[in-house]
């Protein structure tokens, strides 16, 4: 049957289901185990069969008001109570409250006589009385091999197995029966249990390259859809947690909200606004380029805005990261104390990939962060090959996008191939920031540029990346004559450019003063000429006026003489 783990299903159940209460398992089972029917849980030694059966009873008693019976054929009640106490289950309290009943049935192999009259009637009577005592709705039988350990007659064995499963159905109890793995293609030792069970769950505890991983797979589920993939699961102080994370679809939403990178000039390179909420960001670079500093700066900015950040560190301890960031003017400790920043630090080799992924999802479910930082993802290549690591982070990225959690991952690259990631997830990233060494004239400096950033305009220029006591600074490097100068070379070139600029300004000022002096001289000459002109003009006008007056006097005198003669 097809896998339909995620999302709401529109189908109607043909028969009722009983939720197991185990985190993640009911999602895979599309609601729970078949009510009133037997479920076989099989697997190799140490895979968690007994713990799953016990948690099924404990969750039923505490969360669904369904009392349960645990009938053990291997461990005493005292041993069981003590063993599951490590999961945080107080079974003794539930026993005292008559919500759970534990019965230990011991069989001696040599006491079982295969006379053809062997049957389970005494067991049915004993189990029936226990069910009636507490009004049990759930039953766990652990393990079926111990019950039939003395039987070699296959005919009797098959008949009694069928009879046991049929009896459980008649009583209407939801049952889990555990069984050891068989050989070759058989799920169980007898090879029959999986055929008479309505639901079969296979647990696997495998070791690859000295790394252990637990996985769960639903082999069959009559009359119901269910997840068919292998799912990693954890056993810890809170019980069993299964992570149905292998069937995600590309159906996540998007947001227009922006989050500051924590570096002002980097925000400016991203439209002045920073990253999109819910996006995935990759910060890659060679050793020592400042990947952790960029990631910590982002975490610092997120916490400063009152949001929560979960930081997975696979290279450094939390105290080391906090100390190192103080050297560049960034104190992360207050955010840890305030509960806004949580570090989860571990060596990659402590788990297999699936277990790492399971731990990460469990931690995220508990902390509910707004931002997740993984630093660095390339270290997980020590656990598995590139293909498996890529698959792991693909699932992680898809799940976080589905939850609108912003993700920043750092990745170590090698010199000469900076624009290629070892893990091979760059195509999944919305924003890719590349840090690289800029080596010239016997000096190595850091550079930063945005290789891509989907859905926004972004700068394609390189910036010199400086870490100092004042924090992280991005400055424009000297670019000219077909080369980029950074560090001391940039400082020297800027000094030369400054000196030349000053010299040029001084020359311009000298020319300006010279021109100003020349202008003043010319103005003075013009003023003198103007004055000389005005003087000559006045003298000319005076002469002209005198001549005019003289001519007027002569006319008057002539007219006077003429009148006297007449």
């Amino acid at each position: 049957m097809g896998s339909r783990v995620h999302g709401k299903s529109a189908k109607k159940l043909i028969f009722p289901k009983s939720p197991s209460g185990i985190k993640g398992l009911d999602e895979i089972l599309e609601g729970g185990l078949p009510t009133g029917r037997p479920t076989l849980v099989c697997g190799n030694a140490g895979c968690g069969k007994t713990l799953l059966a016990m948690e099924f009873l404990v969750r039923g008693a505490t969360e669904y008001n369904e009392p349960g019976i645990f009938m053990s054929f291997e461990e005493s009640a005292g041993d069981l109570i003590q063993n599951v106490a490590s999961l945080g289950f107080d079974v003794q309290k539930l026993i005292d409250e008559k919500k759970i009943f534990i019965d230990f049935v011991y069989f001696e192999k040599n006491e079982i006589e295969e006379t053809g009259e062997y049957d389970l009637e005494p067991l049915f009577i004993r189990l029936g009385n226990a069910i009636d005592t507490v009004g049990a709705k759930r039953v766990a039988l652990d393990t079926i091999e111990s019950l039939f350990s003395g039987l070699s007659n296959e005919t009797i064995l098959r008949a009694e197995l069928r009879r046991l499963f049929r009896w459980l159905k008649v009583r209407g109890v939801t049952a889990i029966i555990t069984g050891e793995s068989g050989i070759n293609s058989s799920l169980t030792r007898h090879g029959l249990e999986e055929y008479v069970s309505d639901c079969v769950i296979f647990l696997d505890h495998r070791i690859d390259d000295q790394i252990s991983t637990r996985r769960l797979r639903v082999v069959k589920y009559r009359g119901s859809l269910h997840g068919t993939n292998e799912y990693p699961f954890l056993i810890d102080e809170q019980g069993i947690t299964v992570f149905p994370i292998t069937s995600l679809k590309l159906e996540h939403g998007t947001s227009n909200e922006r989050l500051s990178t924590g570096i002002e000039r980097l925000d400016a390179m991203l439209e002045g606004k920073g990253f999109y909420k819910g996006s995935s960001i990759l910060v890659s670079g060679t050793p020592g380029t400042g990947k952790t500093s960029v990631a910590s700066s982002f975490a610092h900015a997120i916490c400063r805005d009152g949001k929560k950040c979960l930081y997975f560190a696979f290279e450094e301890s939390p105290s080391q990261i906090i100390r190192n960031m103080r050297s560049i003017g960034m104190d992360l400790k207050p955010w840890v104390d305030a509960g806004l920043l949580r570090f989860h630090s571990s060596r990659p080799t402590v788990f297999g990939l699936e277990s790492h992924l399971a731990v990460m999802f469990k931690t995220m479910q508990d902390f509910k962060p707004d931002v997740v930082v993984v630093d660095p993802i390339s270290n997980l290549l020590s656990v598995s090959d590139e293909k498996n690591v890529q698959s792991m982070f693909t699932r992680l990225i898809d799940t976080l996008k589905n939850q609108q959690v912003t993700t920043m991952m750092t990745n170590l690259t090698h010199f000469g191939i900076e624009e290629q990631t070892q893990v091979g997830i760059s195509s999944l990233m919305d924003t890719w920031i590349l840090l690289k060494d800029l080596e010239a004239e016997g000096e190595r400096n850091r550079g930063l540029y945005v290789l891509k950033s989907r859905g926004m305009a972004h700068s394609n220029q390189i910036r010199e990346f400086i870490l100092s006591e004042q924090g992280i600074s991005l400055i424009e490097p000297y670019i000219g004559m077909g080369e980029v100068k950074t560090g001391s070379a940039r400082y020297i070139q800027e000094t030369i450019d400054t000196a030349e600029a000053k010299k040029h300004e001084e020359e311009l000022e000298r020319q300006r003063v010279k021109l100003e002096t020349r202008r003043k001289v010319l103005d003075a000459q013009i003023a003198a000429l103007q004055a000389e002109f005005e003087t000559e003009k006045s003298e000319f006008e005076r002469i002209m006026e005198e001549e005019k007056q003289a001519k007027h006097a002569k006319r008057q005198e002539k007219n006077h003489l003429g009148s006297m003669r007449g």
Side-chain angles (χ1 to χ4, degrees):
M1 298 212 175
S3 172
R4 292 181 59 184
V5 175
H6 300 274
K8 294 183 179 180
S9 176
K11 68 181 184 306
K12 291 185 178 180
L13 294 176
I14 299 175
F15 53 84
K17 293 188 176 184
S18 297
S20 67
I22 297 172
K23 295 178 182 178
L25 180 57
D26 293 330
E27 186 178 0
I28 295 170
L29 296 173
E30 293 278 346
L33 301 176
T35 300
R37 300 188 183 192
T39 295
L40 175 66
V41 177
C42 53
N44 49 20
C47 64
K49 301 183 297 297
T50 301
L51 295 179
L52 188 147
M54 181 59 79
E55 183 167 355
F56 169 69
L57 295 186
V58 171
R59 300 295 182 190
T62 57
E63 298 177 14
Y64 304 104
N65 194 29
E66 293 186 358
I69 303 296
F70 193 101
M71 183 165 282
S72 172
F73 307 116
E74 287 187 342
E75 297 179 89
S76 67
D79 289 340
L80 282 169
I81 293 171
Q82 185 177 4
N83 292 342
V84 299
S86 62
L87 303 180
F89 300 148
D90 189 351
V91 176
Q92 185 59 57
K93 180 175 180 293
L94 296 174
I95 292 174
D96 296 339
E97 295 173 351
K98 297 188 182 304
K99 294 181 178 179
I100 284 182
F101 182 86
I102 297 180
D103 192 7
F104 174 50
V105 180
Y106 180 71
F107 286 89
E108 278 287 354
K109 182 176 180 180
N110 57 10
E111 292 181 358
I112 300 178
E113 296 180 358
E114 300 185 39
T115 62
E117 297 179 357
Y118 174 87
D119 63 48
L120 297 175
E121 193 61 37
L123 177 68
F124 295 157
I125 295 173
R126 188 166 178 171
L127 183 56
N129 288 335
I131 291 173
D132 294 336
T133 299
V134 297
K137 301 294 183 182
R138 302 186 178 203
V139 169
L141 303 179
D142 182 48
T143 66
I144 200 167
E145 282 75 26
S146 298
L147 180 60
F148 297 106
S149 60
L151 282 175
S152 60
N153 188 311
E154 186 174 341
T155 302
I156 297 176
L157 175 61
R158 288 177 178 272
E160 292 304 306
L161 276 172
R162 288 193 178 93
R163 189 179 176 204
L164 171 61
F165 280 71
R166 188 165 53 249
W167 185 89
L168 291 170
K169 284 187 177 181
V170 171
R171 288 303 304 253
V173 292
T174 305
I176 283 183
I177 301 169
T178 67
E180 296 291 338
S181 294
I183 57 176
N184 299 326
S185 60
S186 176
L187 292 175
T188 56
R189 292 183 183 178
H190 303 301
L192 179 66
E193 298 94 319
E194 57 261 39
Y195 295 103
V196 296
S197 301
D198 289 272
C199 180
V200 178
I201 298 174
F202 181 73
L203 305 182
D204 181 26
H205 188 196
R206 67 187 70 166
I207 305 293
D208 293 321
D209 295 329
Q210 301 181 354
I211 303 296
S212 66
T213 304
R214 285 188 169 91
R215 291 184 174 90
L216 176 149
R217 178 166 63 94
V218 181
V219 178
K220 78 171 186 178
Y221 198 151
R222 287 174 180 157
S224 173
L225 296 173
H226 59 87
T228 57
N229 295 325
E230 280 193 328
Y231 303 95
F233 72 95
L234 286 182
I235 300 176
D236 60 14
E237 68 279 358
Q238 296 179 345
I240 294 175
T241 303
V242 187
F243 297 92
I245 51 182
T246 59
S247 301
L248 287 173
K249 301 178 181 179
L250 291 174
E251 297 177 347
H252 51 265
T254 57
S255 172
N256 291 322
E257 182 181 345
R258 304 290 277 269
L259 303 176
S260 172
T261 66
I263 305 171
E264 184 177 355
R265 292 295 295 275
L266 182 54
D267 284 344
M269 296 175 72
L270 301 171
E271 294 184 331
K273 301 174 183 178
F275 306 124
Y276 279 118
K277 176 184 176 182
S279 63
S280 53
I281 304 109
L282 178 65
V283 180
S284 63
T286 51
T289 49
K291 299 179 294 297
T292 299
S293 298
V294 172
S296 297
S297 180
F298 184 42
H300 182 64
I302 288 299
C303 296
R304 188 174 55 210
D305 291 339
K307 297 180 174 65
K308 298 169 71 174
C309 177
L310 179 57
Y311 197 118
F312 292 102
F314 292 111
E315 197 168 58
E316 299 177 275
S317 68
S319 60
Q320 187 175 359
I321 294 175
I322 292 172
R323 182 203 65 188
N324 294 346
M325 292 307 105
R326 285 199 184 106
S327 68
I328 58 173
M330 191 187 311
D331 192 358
L332 301 176
K333 185 66 163 54
W335 308 129
V336 176
D337 296 339
L340 294 175
L341 175 61
R342 178 182 294 184
F343 284 96
H344 188 282
S345 182
S346 64
R347 287 291 182 189
T349 52
V350 73
F351 298 125
L353 283 182
E354 295 291 355
S355 294
H356 271 299
L357 191 57
V359 169
M360 294 171 77
F361 271 85
K362 186 176 185 301
T363 308
M364 288 186 289
Q365 287 175 357
D366 175 60
F367 188 59
K368 295 179 175 57
D370 298 286
V371 166
V372 168
V373 174
V374 184
D375 177 36
I377 59 176
S378 45
N379 275 28
L380 289 169
L381 287 171
S382 62
V383 181
S384 187
D385 57 29
E386 181 178 339
K387 180 180 178 181
N388 289 327
V389 175
Q390 181 182 10
S391 175
M392 168 190 171
F393 282 109
T394 298
R395 286 180 279 165
L396 175 62
I397 292 168
D398 283 345
T399 302
L400 291 176
K401 279 180 172 290
N402 190 55
Q403 299 174 2
Q404 281 294 285
V405 175
T406 310
T407 312
M408 176 175 281
M409 299 181 176
T410 70
N411 180 75
L412 177 67
T413 58
H414 296 298
F415 293 99
I417 53 172
E418 290 91 345
E419 296 184 11
Q420 179 179 343
T421 61
Q422 290 176 280
V423 179
I425 61 169
S426 58
S427 62
L428 302 174
M429 294 296 171
D430 298 303
T431 299
W432 186 359
I433 296 172
L434 182 60
L435 305 176
K436 63 184 303 180
D437 288 304
L438 304 175
E439 187 173 354
E441 302 181 15
E443 185 178 78
R444 178 177 293 171
N445 296 286
R446 301 179 179 93
L448 177 151
Y449 68 95
V450 180
L451 201 60
K452 72 172 183 178
S453 193
R454 292 169 177 161
M456 68 177 76
H458 56 276
S459 172
N460 61 355
Q461 295 181 337
I462 194 169
R463 296 287 186 273
E464 187 174 355
F465 180 66
I466 297 177
L467 301 175
S468 67
E469 293 180 354
Q470 286 71 42
I472 298 176
S473 301
L474 294 180
I475 60 175
E476 295 184 10
Y478 173 84
I479 302 176
M481 302 298 291
E483 61 178 348
V484 176
K485 293 184 180 294
T486 59
S488 298
R490 173 182 52 77
Y491 175 76
I492 293 172
Q493 188 63 50
E494 287 177 346
T495 302
I496 292 173
D497 291 345
T498 301
E500 291 181 351
K502 184 177 180 181
K503 182 179 179 181
H504 182 64
E505 288 178 0
E506 290 175 350
E507 177 63 21
L508 290 176
E509 179 63 17
R510 187 183 66 81
Q511 292 292 337
R512 188 191 67 78
V513 172
K514 181 179 178 180
L515 289 172
E516 181 65 19
T517 302
R518 177 65 175 163
R519 185 189 65 78
K520 289 179 179 179
V521 171
L522 290 175
D523 287 346
Q525 291 176 345
I526 292 171
L529 290 173
Q530 184 71 31
E532 183 180 354
F533 171 77
E534 292 296 334
T535 300
E536 292 178 355
K537 178 181 177 183
S538 298
E539 181 63 20
F540 174 76
E541 290 176 347
R542 183 186 65 78
I543 294 172
M544 292 297 294
E545 183 62 27
E546 289 178 350
E547 289 183 356
K548 180 179 179 182
Q549 291 178 358
K551 288 179 178 181
H552 181 68
K554 286 181 178 180
R555 281 197 301 268
Q556 287 183 342
E557 182 179 358
K558 183 178 181 180
N559 292 334
H560 179 69
L561 292 175
S563 61
M564 289 181 62
R565 290 176 183 163

